[in-house]
Amino acid sequence: MIRHIVAFKLAADDAGTRAAQAAEAGSRLEALVGVVPTLRAMSAGANALDLPGNWDLALVADFDDAAGLDAYQVHPAHEEVAAFIGAIRSDRMAVDLEI
Amino acid sequence: MIRHIVAFKLAADDAGTRAAQAAEAGSRLEALVGVVPTLRAMSAGANALDLPGNWDLALVADFDDAAGLDAYQVHPAHEEVAAFIGAIRSDRMAVDLEI
């Protein structure tokens, strides 16, 4: 199984704006379960603890294999959420674990 | 529940060295389950897919609450792994989700 971990810094100067945008993005990402057939599980949302070095938004998504992740990346419902995040983010990182 | 997501870039120039160090760190992190009482679940390891922008190492750790995360942070077994990672990393980010 592939565990796809992604995190974002958001561009807005105001912390409240970033938190609201991250919560919106998290809700949209979790709504992809049942819509993107290869997506087995998703937890996503705004950073909830005010700790030094924490970024604004993260997702943890599980797929049976790398082909399932590829299918998710190009699914129209995911592309719509990715475009929303792409418009508000200032930085992105990802790690894909084999679990 | 708190889902604690952390990722690292490692400092070594050589990709094979970074992958071996990340695998070692992942094994040490997963071995904390059953040792740190407040740690409910841990998946950790080296990045497994060669995708642009991917970092080297990540962990996803679950706790009942923020107090459980705090207890993990100062547990000697975690501090030992954190010191190992601290000596090989060049960058770190974290996001804590309320799930």
Side-chain angles (χ1 to χ4, degrees), chain A residues 9-72:
Chain A
K9 284 184 187 173
L10 301 188
D13 288 333
D14 178 64
T17 300
R18 293 198 308 276
Q21 290 174 332
E24 168 75 13
S27 295
R28 292 196 193 193
L29 286 162
E30 292 188 341
L32 296 176
V33 176
V35 175
V36 178
T38 59
L39 177 60
R40 298 293 174 229
M42 168 78 80
S43 59
N47 177 59
L49 297 180
D50 185 21
L51 297 173
N54 272 30
W55 288 21
D56 297 301
L57 167 66
L59 68 94
V60 180
D62 290 340
F63 303 89
D64 288 344
D65 50 31
L69 173 58
D70 290 345
Y72 161 86

Side-chain angles (χ1 to χ4, degrees), chain B residues 41-57:
Chain B
M42 168 77 80
S43 59
N47 177 58
L49 297 180
D50 186 21
L51 298 173
N54 272 30
W55 288 21
D56 297 301
L57 166 66

